[in-house]
PDB file of all heavy atoms in Angstrom:
ATOM      1  N   ILE R   1       0.836  -1.232  -0.026  1.00 56.00           N
ATOM      2  CA  ILE R   1       0.042  -0.028  -0.073  1.00 56.00           C
ATOM      3  C   ILE R   1       0.892   1.215   0.020  1.00 56.00           C
ATOM      4  O   ILE R   1       0.631   2.194  -0.688  1.00 56.00           O
ATOM      5  CB  ILE R   1      -0.939  -0.037   1.147  1.00 56.00           C
ATOM      6  CG1 ILE R   1      -1.996  -1.208   1.026  1.00 56.00           C
ATOM      7  CG2 ILE R   1      -1.697   1.259   1.332  1.00 56.00           C
ATOM      8  CD1 ILE R   1      -2.819  -1.304   2.290  1.00 56.00           C
ATOM      9  N   GLN R   2       1.915   1.192   0.826  1.00 62.00           N
ATOM     10  CA  GLN R   2       2.849   2.334   0.935  1.00 62.00           C
ATOM     11  C   GLN R   2       3.436   2.676  -0.548  1.00 62.00           C
ATOM     12  O   GLN R   2       3.643   3.743  -0.939  1.00 62.00           O
ATOM     13  CB  GLN R   2       3.944   2.152   2.047  1.00 62.00           C
ATOM     14  CG  GLN R   2       4.801   3.297   2.127  1.00 62.00           C
ATOM     15  CD  GLN R   2       4.098   4.389   2.844  1.00 62.00           C
ATOM     16  OE1 GLN R   2       3.107   4.177   3.636  1.00 62.00           O
ATOM     17  NE2 GLN R   2       4.436   5.574   2.527  1.00 62.00           N
ATOM     18  N   THR R   3       3.798   1.612  -1.109  1.00 65.00           N
ATOM     19  CA  THR R   3       4.362   1.683  -2.463  1.00 65.00           C
ATOM     20  C   THR R   3       3.391   2.353  -3.413  1.00 65.00           C
ATOM     21  O   THR R   3       3.759   3.164  -4.240  1.00 65.00           O
ATOM     22  CB  THR R   3       4.850   0.320  -2.994  1.00 65.00           C
ATOM     23  OG1 THR R   3       5.768  -0.266  -2.097  1.00 65.00           O
ATOM     24  CG2 THR R   3       5.472   0.471  -4.404  1.00 65.00           C
ATOM     25  N   VAL R   4       2.175   1.919  -3.313  1.00 50.00           N
ATOM     26  CA  VAL R   4       1.107   2.499  -4.118  1.00 50.00           C
ATOM     27  C   VAL R   4       0.931   3.917  -3.893  1.00 50.00           C
ATOM     28  O   VAL R   4       0.748   4.827  -4.846  1.00 50.00           O
ATOM     29  CB  VAL R   4      -0.164   1.761  -4.053  1.00 50.00           C
ATOM     30  CG1 VAL R   4      -1.360   2.437  -4.862  1.00 50.00           C
ATOM     31  CG2 VAL R   4      -0.020   0.248  -4.587  1.00 50.00           C
ATOM     32  N   LEU R   5       0.911   4.257  -2.638  1.00 54.00           N
ATOM     33  CA  LEU R   5       0.702   5.753  -2.207  1.00 54.00           C
ATOM     34  C   LEU R   5       1.864   6.477  -2.720  1.00 54.00           C
ATOM     35  O   LEU R   5       1.638   7.743  -3.234  1.00 54.00           O
ATOM     36  CB  LEU R   5       0.628   5.803  -0.662  1.00 54.00           C
ATOM     37  CG  LEU R   5      -0.697   5.309  -0.195  1.00 54.00           C
ATOM     38  CD1 LEU R   5      -0.547   5.285   1.464  1.00 54.00           C
ATOM     39  CD2 LEU R   5      -1.950   5.980  -0.593  1.00 54.00           C
ATOM     40  N   ASN R   6       3.062   5.956  -2.674  1.00 62.00           N
ATOM     41  CA  ASN R   6       4.192   6.750  -3.170  1.00 62.00           C
ATOM     42  C   ASN R   6       4.181   7.025  -4.615  1.00 62.00           C
ATOM     43  O   ASN R   6       4.350   8.114  -5.206  1.00 62.00           O
ATOM     44  CB  ASN R   6       5.538   6.032  -2.922  1.00 62.00           C
ATOM     45  CG  ASN R   6       5.800   6.116  -1.369  1.00 62.00           C
ATOM     46  OD1 ASN R   6       5.340   7.062  -0.592  1.00 62.00           O
ATOM     47  ND2 ASN R   6       6.578   5.161  -0.847  1.00 62.00           N
ATOM     48  N   LYS R   7       3.678   6.002  -5.435  1.00 53.00           N
ATOM     49  CA  LYS R   7       3.385   6.192  -6.849  1.00 53.00           C
ATOM     50  C   LYS R   7       2.450   7.187  -7.147  1.00 53.00           C
ATOM     51  O   LYS R   7       2.560   7.984  -8.100  1.00 53.00           O
ATOM     52  CB  LYS R   7       3.117   4.819  -7.488  1.00 53.00           C
ATOM     53  CG  LYS R   7       4.187   3.791  -7.443  1.00 53.00           C
ATOM     54  CD  LYS R   7       3.740   2.469  -8.126  1.00 53.00           C
ATOM     55  CE  LYS R   7       5.021   1.384  -8.140  1.00 53.00           C
ATOM     56  NZ  LYS R   7       4.535   0.189  -8.807  1.00 53.00           N
ATOM     57  N   ILE R   8       1.405   7.189  -6.342  1.00 54.00           N
ATOM     58  CA  ILE R   8       0.255   8.125  -6.544  1.00 54.00           C
ATOM     59  C   ILE R   8       0.855   9.633  -6.303  1.00 54.00           C
ATOM     60  O   ILE R   8       0.447  10.512  -7.014  1.00 54.00           O
ATOM     61  CB  ILE R   8      -0.967   7.784  -5.639  1.00 54.00           C
ATOM     62  CG1 ILE R   8      -1.569   6.452  -6.094  1.00 54.00           C
ATOM     63  CG2 ILE R   8      -1.966   8.945  -5.610  1.00 54.00           C
ATOM     64  CD1 ILE R   8      -2.690   6.079  -5.164  1.00 54.00           C
ATOM     65  N   LYS R   9       1.530   9.787  -5.269  1.00 59.00           N
ATOM     66  CA  LYS R   9       2.196  11.034  -4.988  1.00 59.00           C
ATOM     67  C   LYS R   9       2.970  11.522  -6.055  1.00 59.00           C
ATOM     68  O   LYS R   9       2.912  12.711  -6.386  1.00 59.00           O
ATOM     69  CB  LYS R   9       2.843  11.016  -3.578  1.00 59.00           C
ATOM     70  CG  LYS R   9       2.044  10.877  -2.437  1.00 59.00           C
ATOM     71  CD  LYS R   9       2.910  10.908  -1.187  1.00 59.00           C
ATOM     72  CE  LYS R   9       2.051  10.842   0.160  1.00 59.00           C
ATOM     73  NZ  LYS R   9       2.905  10.798   1.384  1.00 59.00           N
ATOM     74  N   LEU R  10       3.830  10.655  -6.491  1.00 57.00           N
ATOM     75  CA  LEU R  10       4.800  10.955  -7.707  1.00 57.00           C
ATOM     76  C   LEU R  10       3.933  11.334  -8.852  1.00 57.00           C
ATOM     77  O   LEU R  10       4.246  12.343  -9.640  1.00 57.00           O
ATOM     78  CB  LEU R  10       5.690   9.866  -7.903  1.00 57.00           C
ATOM     79  CG  LEU R  10       6.804   9.544  -6.929  1.00 57.00           C
ATOM     80  CD1 LEU R  10       7.488   8.252  -7.338  1.00 57.00           C
ATOM     81  CD2 LEU R  10       7.699  10.681  -6.666  1.00 57.00           C
ATOM     82  N   PHE R  11       2.830  10.641  -9.114  1.00 48.00           N
ATOM     83  CA  PHE R  11       1.965  11.034 -10.268  1.00 48.00           C
ATOM     84  C   PHE R  11       1.399  12.365 -10.170  1.00 48.00           C
ATOM     85  O   PHE R  11       1.355  13.141 -11.091  1.00 48.00           O
ATOM     86  CB  PHE R  11       0.947   9.970 -10.483  1.00 48.00           C
ATOM     87  CG  PHE R  11      -0.048  10.210 -11.561  1.00 48.00           C
ATOM     88  CD1 PHE R  11       0.371  10.001 -12.819  1.00 48.00           C
ATOM     89  CD2 PHE R  11      -1.324  10.590 -11.227  1.00 48.00           C
ATOM     90  CE1 PHE R  11      -0.623  10.302 -13.861  1.00 48.00           C
ATOM     91  CE2 PHE R  11      -2.207  10.967 -12.213  1.00 48.00           C
ATOM     92  CZ  PHE R  11      -1.937  10.695 -13.591  1.00 48.00           C
ATOM     93  N   LEU R  12       0.832  12.668  -8.949  1.00 51.00           N
ATOM     94  CA  LEU R  12       0.175  13.888  -8.657  1.00 51.00           C
ATOM     95  C   LEU R  12       1.176  15.041  -8.733  1.00 51.00           C
ATOM     96  O   LEU R  12       0.892  16.017  -9.347  1.00 51.00           O
ATOM     97  CB  LEU R  12      -0.576  13.862  -7.345  1.00 51.00           C
ATOM     98  CG  LEU R  12      -1.721  12.968  -7.215  1.00 51.00           C
ATOM     99  CD1 LEU R  12      -2.270  13.028  -5.800  1.00 51.00           C
ATOM    100  CD2 LEU R  12      -2.864  13.393  -8.104  1.00 51.00           C
ATOM    101  N   ALA R  13       2.346  14.851  -8.324  1.00 52.00           N
ATOM    102  CA  ALA R  13       3.402  15.967  -8.244  1.00 52.00           C
ATOM    103  C   ALA R  13       3.657  16.185  -9.798  1.00 52.00           C
ATOM    104  O   ALA R  13       3.814  17.300 -10.124  1.00 52.00           O
ATOM    105  CB  ALA R  13       4.586  15.436  -7.504  1.00 52.00           C
ATOM    106  N   GLY R  14       3.727  15.137 -10.583  1.00 50.00           N
ATOM    107  CA  GLY R  14       4.114  15.362 -11.979  1.00 50.00           C
ATOM    108  C   GLY R  14       2.997  16.078 -12.654  1.00 50.00           C
ATOM    109  O   GLY R  14       3.216  16.933 -13.476  1.00 50.00           O
ATOM    110  N   MET R  15       1.772  15.604 -12.389  1.00 50.00           N
ATOM    111  CA  MET R  15       0.617  16.316 -12.895  1.00 50.00           C
ATOM    112  C   MET R  15       0.579  17.788 -12.516  1.00 50.00           C
ATOM    113  O   MET R  15       0.324  18.574 -13.430  1.00 50.00           O
ATOM    114  CB  MET R  15      -0.669  15.600 -12.503  1.00 50.00           C
ATOM    115  CG  MET R  15      -0.893  14.257 -13.149  1.00 50.00           C
ATOM    116  SD  MET R  15      -1.203  14.320 -14.909  1.00 50.00           S
ATOM    117  CE  MET R  15      -2.791  15.318 -14.910  1.00 50.00           C
ATOM    118  N   ARG R  16       0.938  18.109 -11.243  1.00 53.00           N
ATOM    119  CA  ARG R  16       0.937  19.461 -10.761  1.00 53.00           C
ATOM    120  C   ARG R  16       1.985  20.304 -11.489  1.00 53.00           C
ATOM    121  O   ARG R  16       1.635  21.359 -11.791  1.00 53.00           O
ATOM    122  CB  ARG R  16       1.203  19.444  -9.170  1.00 53.00           C
ATOM    123  CG  ARG R  16       0.875  20.879  -8.593  1.00 53.00           C
ATOM    124  CD  ARG R  16       1.136  20.824  -7.097  1.00 53.00           C
ATOM    125  NE  ARG R  16       0.114  19.952  -6.459  1.00 53.00           N
ATOM    126  CZ  ARG R  16       0.516  18.798  -5.893  1.00 53.00           C
ATOM    127  NH1 ARG R  16       1.631  18.360  -5.837  1.00 53.00           N
ATOM    128  NH2 ARG R  16      -0.530  18.000  -5.352  1.00 53.00           N
ATOM    129  N   ARG R  17       3.169  19.699 -11.491  1.00 52.00           N
ATOM    130  CA  ARG R  17       4.157  20.454 -12.217  1.00 52.00           C
ATOM    131  C   ARG R  17       3.855  20.663 -13.780  1.00 52.00           C
ATOM    132  O   ARG R  17       4.146  21.749 -14.278  1.00 52.00           O
ATOM    133  CB  ARG R  17       5.550  19.649 -12.186  1.00 52.00           C
ATOM    134  CG  ARG R  17       6.180  19.820 -10.870  1.00 52.00           C
ATOM    135  CD  ARG R  17       7.588  19.408 -11.000  1.00 52.00           C
ATOM    136  NE  ARG R  17       7.731  17.811 -11.283  1.00 52.00           N
ATOM    137  CZ  ARG R  17       7.746  16.820 -10.479  1.00 52.00           C
ATOM    138  NH1 ARG R  17       7.620  17.108  -9.185  1.00 52.00           N
ATOM    139  NH2 ARG R  17       7.728  15.604 -10.857  1.00 52.00           N
ATOM    140  N   ARG R  18       3.181  19.727 -14.379  1.00 54.00           N
ATOM    141  CA  ARG R  18       2.736  19.815 -15.792  1.00 54.00           C
ATOM    142  C   ARG R  18       1.620  20.909 -15.806  1.00 54.00           C
ATOM    143  O   ARG R  18       1.669  21.796 -16.781  1.00 54.00           O
ATOM    144  CB  ARG R  18       2.265  18.614 -16.239  1.00 54.00           C
ATOM    145  CG  ARG R  18       3.495  17.564 -16.657  1.00 54.00           C
ATOM    146  CD  ARG R  18       2.860  16.423 -17.461  1.00 54.00           C
ATOM    147  NE  ARG R  18       2.008  15.630 -16.778  1.00 54.00           N
ATOM    148  CZ  ARG R  18       2.259  14.591 -15.985  1.00 54.00           C
ATOM    149  NH1 ARG R  18       3.521  14.213 -15.812  1.00 54.00           N
ATOM    150  NH2 ARG R  18       1.284  13.941 -15.448  1.00 54.00           N
ATOM    151  N   ASP R  19       0.715  20.908 -14.829  1.00 53.00           N
ATOM    152  CA  ASP R  19      -0.370  21.974 -14.876  1.00 53.00           C
ATOM    153  C   ASP R  19       0.173  23.303 -14.641  1.00 53.00           C
ATOM    154  O   ASP R  19      -0.181  24.261 -15.317  1.00 53.00           O
ATOM    155  CB  ASP R  19      -1.395  21.603 -13.747  1.00 53.00           C
ATOM    156  CG  ASP R  19      -2.173  20.343 -14.112  1.00 53.00           C
ATOM    157  OD1 ASP R  19      -2.206  19.997 -15.276  1.00 53.00           O
ATOM    158  OD2 ASP R  19      -2.826  19.820 -13.090  1.00 53.00           O
ATOM    159  N   ILE R  20       1.172  23.436 -13.667  1.00 54.00           N
ATOM    160  CA  ILE R  20       1.744  24.698 -13.500  1.00 54.00           C
ATOM    161  C   ILE R  20       2.482  25.208 -14.662  1.00 54.00           C
ATOM    162  O   ILE R  20       2.415  26.445 -15.088  1.00 54.00           O
ATOM    163  CB  ILE R  20       2.626  24.624 -12.193  1.00 54.00           C
ATOM    164  CG1 ILE R  20       1.775  24.421 -11.005  1.00 54.00           C
ATOM    165  CG2 ILE R  20       3.476  25.929 -12.111  1.00 54.00           C
ATOM    166  CD1 ILE R  20       2.707  24.222  -9.683  1.00 54.00           C
ATOM    167  N   SER R  21       3.258  24.359 -15.256  1.00 57.00           N
ATOM    168  CA  SER R  21       3.952  24.755 -16.426  1.00 57.00           C
ATOM    169  C   SER R  21       3.060  25.129 -17.611  1.00 57.00           C
ATOM    170  O   SER R  21       3.270  26.049 -18.294  1.00 57.00           O
ATOM    171  CB  SER R  21       4.940  23.595 -16.902  1.00 57.00           C
ATOM    172  OG  SER R  21       5.804  23.227 -15.925  1.00 57.00           O
ATOM    173  N   ARG R  22       2.050  24.298 -17.712  1.00 62.00           N
ATOM    174  CA  ARG R  22       0.964  24.638 -18.778  1.00 62.00           C
ATOM    175  C   ARG R  22       0.274  26.023 -18.422  1.00 62.00           C
ATOM    176  O   ARG R  22       0.180  26.789 -19.396  1.00 62.00           O
ATOM    177  CB  ARG R  22       0.015  23.552 -18.835  1.00 62.00           C
ATOM    178  CG  ARG R  22      -1.083  23.713 -20.001  1.00 62.00           C
ATOM    179  CD  ARG R  22      -2.123  22.603 -20.039  1.00 62.00           C
ATOM    180  NE  ARG R  22      -1.484  21.331 -20.035  1.00 62.00           N
ATOM    181  CZ  ARG R  22      -1.550  20.358 -19.194  1.00 62.00           C
ATOM    182  NH1 ARG R  22      -2.125  20.752 -18.038  1.00 62.00           N
ATOM    183  NH2 ARG R  22      -0.941  19.126 -19.257  1.00 62.00           N
ATOM    184  N   GLY R  23       0.091  26.271 -17.171  1.00 56.00           N
ATOM    185  CA  GLY R  23      -0.648  27.590 -16.793  1.00 56.00           C
ATOM    186  C   GLY R  23       0.400  28.645 -17.022  1.00 56.00           C
ATOM    187  O   GLY R  23      -0.040  29.754 -17.531  1.00 56.00           O
ATOM    188  N   VAL R  24       1.670  28.489 -16.794  1.00 56.00           N
ATOM    189  CA  VAL R  24       2.589  29.495 -17.028  1.00 56.00           C
ATOM    190  C   VAL R  24       2.663  29.831 -18.506  1.00 56.00           C
ATOM    191  O   VAL R  24       2.811  31.045 -18.902  1.00 56.00           O
ATOM    192  CB  VAL R  24       3.964  29.183 -16.394  1.00 56.00           C
ATOM    193  CG1 VAL R  24       5.096  30.179 -16.858  1.00 56.00           C
ATOM    194  CG2 VAL R  24       3.880  29.172 -14.918  1.00 56.00           C
ATOM    195  N   ARG R  25       2.794  28.748 -19.331  1.00 63.00           N
ATOM    196  CA  ARG R  25       2.800  28.962 -20.684  1.00 63.00           C
ATOM    197  C   ARG R  25       1.616  29.550 -21.311  1.00 63.00           C
ATOM    198  O   ARG R  25       1.742  30.511 -22.118  1.00 63.00           O
ATOM    199  CB  ARG R  25       3.062  27.627 -21.491  1.00 63.00           C
ATOM    200  CG  ARG R  25       4.373  26.927 -21.232  1.00 63.00           C
ATOM    201  CD  ARG R  25       4.662  25.859 -22.217  1.00 63.00           C
ATOM    202  NE  ARG R  25       3.630  24.730 -22.018  1.00 63.00           N
ATOM    203  CZ  ARG R  25       3.818  23.660 -21.147  1.00 63.00           C
ATOM    204  NH1 ARG R  25       4.903  23.647 -20.404  1.00 63.00           N
ATOM    205  NH2 ARG R  25       2.964  22.805 -21.029  1.00 63.00           N
TER     206      ARG R  25
END
């Protein structure tokens, strides 16, 4: 479960960075 949660966090962080970058662009 911890491994899954870590993967989810990494995914959300990537999505957030992509959203921020997209918003900045």
Side-chain angles (χ1 to χ4, degrees):
I1 293 172
Q2 186 68 34
T3 302
V4 173
L5 290 175
N6 290 334
K7 290 180 179 180
I8 293 174
K9 288 180 179 180
L10 292 174
F11 176 75
L12 292 176
M15 289 294 293
R16 190 180 297 112
R17 284 194 297 269
R18 286 194 297 272
D19 291 341
I20 293 174
S21 298
R22 189 182 301 111
V24 170
R25 288 194 299 269

